[in-house]
Amino acid sequence: MVLLAMAYHADPRGDNVFPHQSTIATMARCSVRTVGRRLAAMEARGVIVRGDQRLVEHLGRGHRPVVWRLALERRRPSDNLSPP
């Protein structure tokens, strides 16, 4: 659900995803702590990567969410197999 909430905020290329964790938590119906754990896990697996942080420079330092990019180009190992 966290990934779906992020996809909702992404542009058509999967870029510029920067809702606050509280917004994601509301959409995913979970806690902000759970969102943080899920984001860390998805980043570790390469499902999401950090995007252009300059997009949120206009926000105050204590209010800047992380800008993410959905790794749409990522493929599973089984995707590289040619059909028999």
Side-chain angles (χ1 to χ4, degrees):
M1 292 308 296
V2 171
L3 183 59
L4 287 175
M6 292 180 70
Y8 177 82
H9 287 91
D11 68 15
R13 296 179 310 164
D15 294 333
N16 307 326
V17 183
F18 53 94
H20 286 277
Q21 288 188 11
S22 59
T23 301
I24 296 172
T26 299
M27 292 180 75
R29 296 182 182 208
C30 63
S31 70
V32 174
R33 264 183 98 178
T34 297
V35 170
R37 286 193 304 268
R38 299 291 185 241
L39 292 174
M42 288 189 292
E43 183 179 24
R45 293 180 65 200
V47 175
I48 59 174
V49 293
R50 291 182 186 254
D52 186 358
Q53 302 306 311
R54 294 175 294 178
L55 293 171
V56 292
E57 284 181 347
H58 65 283
L59 300 173
R61 283 202 180 266
H63 304 284
R64 292 181 189 164
V66 175
V67 178
W68 296 101
R69 182 175 64 80
L70 306 179
L72 300 177
E73 70 282 351
R74 185 187 157 134
R75 295 182 179 266
R76 296 184 310 246
S78 62
D79 291 343
N80 296 328
L81 301 175
S82 57

